[in-house]
Amino acid sequence: MKKKIAVIEGDGIGPEVTRQSIRVLNAVAEAFNHDFEYTYCLMGADAIDKTGNPLPDETIEVCLDSDTILFGAIGHPKYDNDPTAKVRPEQGLLKLRKTLQLYANIRPIKTYSSLFHLSPLKNKKIEGVDFVIFRELTGGIYFGEKKINEEKTEASDNCVYTKEEIERIAHLAFHFAQKPERRKKLTLVDKANVLETSRLWRKVVQEIAPQYPDVTVDYMFVDNAAMQIILNPKQFDIILTENMFGDIISDEASVISGSLGLLPSASVGAGGLALFEPIHGSYPQAAGKDIANPTGSILSAAMMLEWLGMKDEADLVRQAVNWTLQYSFVTKDIDPVNFYFTSTIGELVSDYVSGKISGSVKRENIELRKSTII
Ligand code: IPM
Ligand code: MN
């Protein structure tokens, strides 16, 4: 199959983790006889430096002309520490999500037995955890009117949701909950005891629920959900929630897996295009050091392959990632002492995909590409 992939490396560790995904995608292309054509484009701080605009028109054009989009990360400390900055890297990503109508961000959370020891939670609590967060991505407080008064002493961010915005992602989440491999349970996370928008979410979800009689629905306030995700994460199957709550609880949930660096996501929507990105940020402290975890990005590439109809290819990539974790070929975020470099992990995963590695491996050879710091 021939596929056009727009690649937005973005900021911080974005380029180096994305590079490993491309390496893996190239191995997939070769093994399965596909032709992936990559077009690189700018977004974020990188784009501001080069063009003055966090999302140049050309990037939108390239995305619209592609079959799918692979994205790295966004953000730079020089903007984080300057609240007066008018142009900010994140505006690029938010505008891209809005322009392409990527209204649903799908974030799967699962655990790997080889990483259990890293979780601050007890093994028996996290064993078998498997849930998926459906985070609304183009509405809510992120996109409502923002104001600050002349004296810069009072500011507001408006949170707005329409019935239609809630319905479309709710249907997507319900459909997903009905999949054979799911446990047919949907939890709406909101703050309906306080927020009008949350009450609307509840009403709309209650109205829709009877169309999916095989799915059990429950409702949870976000403060309680934050606690339940740690206390009893196994209770969740599908979590449906609004933009900001989803942003927060998905970072929290990553702790269950062992590292934020492991988690992939897919942003899908109305236009038929989808964007795939790890859930982590640009992690500027690690940029350029070859220590960032490329797994979130590689697993995002796997989600992309599946979305492109390449299920076997996606499964092979996931199997390769599982293999690295099982043999403790992990980056510094996971094992601060015995860690491997970003590029080594990318190489191992792509070698596995290319069939150059079978179940057992000469560890000594890989040891040579290990960190020299330890
Ligand atoms: C994410 C990120 C973004 C968000 C930022 C970089 C704008 O944290 O994708 O989770 O808040 O959506
Ligand atoms: Mn986030």
Side-chain angles (χ1 to χ4, degrees):
M1 255 194 259
K2 186 173 162 53
K3 293 290 171 197
K4 284 160 99 176
I5 304 175
V7 182
I8 307 176
E9 294 183 325
D11 305 323
I13 58 167
E16 59 205 86
V17 295
T18 308
R19 218 168 292 141
Q20 303 316 316
S21 289
I22 301 288
R23 197 171 188 168
V24 173
L25 287 171
N26 286 337
V28 167
E30 202 173 313
F32 291 83
N33 227 339
H34 297 307
D35 180 5
F36 296 147
E37 184 190 301
Y38 310 104
T39 310
Y40 286 80
C41 31
L42 300 175
M43 189 167 82
D46 181 35
I48 300 175
D49 290 345
K50 290 177 182 146
T51 70
N53 182 350
L55 182 65
D57 290 345
E58 205 193 323
T59 298
I60 301 177
E61 281 156 29
V62 170
C63 290
L64 288 171
D65 187 44
S66 301
D67 295 302
T68 186
I69 308 158
L70 185 67
F71 164 59
I74 210 150
H76 192 285
K78 80 177 172 209
Y79 301 94
D80 297 343
N81 301 330
D82 176 10
T84 62
K86 285 264 174 310
V87 181
R88 316 184 69 82
E90 291 79 4
Q91 290 163 346
L93 179 59
L94 298 182
K95 185 169 166 204
L96 188 68
R97 288 172 177 169
K98 195 78 173 173
T99 310
L100 302 180
Q101 298 182 66
L102 304 172
Y103 62 77
N105 184 224
I106 305 168
R107 299 184 160 186
I109 311 287
K110 52 182 270 181
T111 52
Y112 300 90
S113 50
S114 46
L115 302 180
F116 277 2
H117 61 287
L118 294 169
S119 177
L121 307 182
K122 296 208 176 69
N123 287 8
K124 66 175 190 343
K125 283 209 167 159
I126 57 173
E127 197 177 357
V129 167
D130 174 12
F131 64 92
V132 183
I133 300 174
F134 274 70
R135 167 189 175 195
E136 203 289 330
L137 205 57
T138 52
I141 197 165
Y142 272 56
F143 290 93
E145 192 187 358
K146 296 174 189 312
K147 279 197 219 155
I148 182 145
N149 68 353
E150 290 257 323
E151 300 77 39
K152 309 262 184 284
T153 53
E154 193 181 303
S156 63
D157 295 278
N158 202 11
C159 184
V160 184
Y161 269 110
T162 65
K163 188 175 179 224
E164 290 67 32
E165 282 173 323
I166 301 166
E167 270 170 353
R168 60 187 183 176
I169 186 171
H171 282 298
L172 219 58
F174 271 110
H175 276 293
F176 199 89
Q178 283 184 322
K179 283 186 167 202
E181 67 272 23
R182 298 309 322 174
R183 300 192 308 282
K184 325 257 173 315
K185 182 179 167 193
L186 184 145
T187 306
L188 175 69
V189 169
D190 63 25
K191 187 74 186 170
N193 51 346
V194 177
L195 302 176
E196 206 54 58
T197 41
S198 284
R199 286 191 277 273
L200 183 62
W201 273 82
R202 252 184 216 218
K203 183 170 166 283
V204 172
V205 169
Q206 276 164 4
E207 277 166 15
I208 287 176
Q211 296 174 36
Y212 303 88
D214 52 335
V215 180
T216 310
V217 184
D218 67 358
Y219 304 89
M220 204 179 267
F221 297 141
V222 63
D223 45 354
N224 183 26
M227 188 172 69
Q228 293 297 331
I229 283 173
I230 301 298
L231 275 183
N232 178 15
K234 264 187 258 190
Q235 69 184 289
F236 297 109
D237 181 20
I238 307 296
I239 290 182
L240 170 64
T241 191
E242 60 103 76
N243 201 344
M244 192 160 75
F245 296 160
D247 181 45
I248 297 169
I249 63 168
S250 55
D251 269 31
E252 185 198 6
S254 76
V255 174
I256 299 170
S257 305
S259 169
L260 187 59
L262 291 167
L263 297 192
S265 85
S267 302
V268 304
L273 252 182
L275 176 148
F276 298 84
E277 55 169 309
I279 83 160
H280 62 69
S282 61
Y283 191 16
Q285 306 87 320
K289 294 187 181 155
D290 205 20
I291 56 168
N293 192 343
T295 309
S297 177
I298 293 171
L299 290 175
S300 301
M303 287 182 94
M304 182 175 98
L305 290 168
E306 189 164 350
W307 186 83
L308 288 169
M310 303 176 182
K311 176 86 171 72
D312 291 346
E313 291 83 333
D315 284 344
L316 182 59
V317 172
R318 291 186 185 120
Q319 197 183 320
V321 166
N322 284 342
W323 176 83
T324 58
L325 298 175
Q326 193 184 332
Y327 284 88
S328 300
F329 296 121
V330 293
T331 40
K332 201 174 176 183
D333 51 317
I334 292 190
D335 189 337
V337 179
N338 271 303
F339 63 89
Y340 293 79
F341 289 119
T342 313
S343 50
T344 308
I345 303 296
E347 196 177 345
L348 285 168
V349 174
S350 55
D351 280 357
Y352 188 104
V353 167
S354 310
K356 292 185 194 149
I357 298 176
S358 55
S360 62
V361 68
K362 274 208 165 25
R363 212 182 164 91
E364 313 86 77
N365 296 343
I366 294 167
E367 300 292 315
L368 297 174
R369 290 176 288 178
K370 207 171 168 173
S371 153
T372 49
I373 300 165
I374 55 166

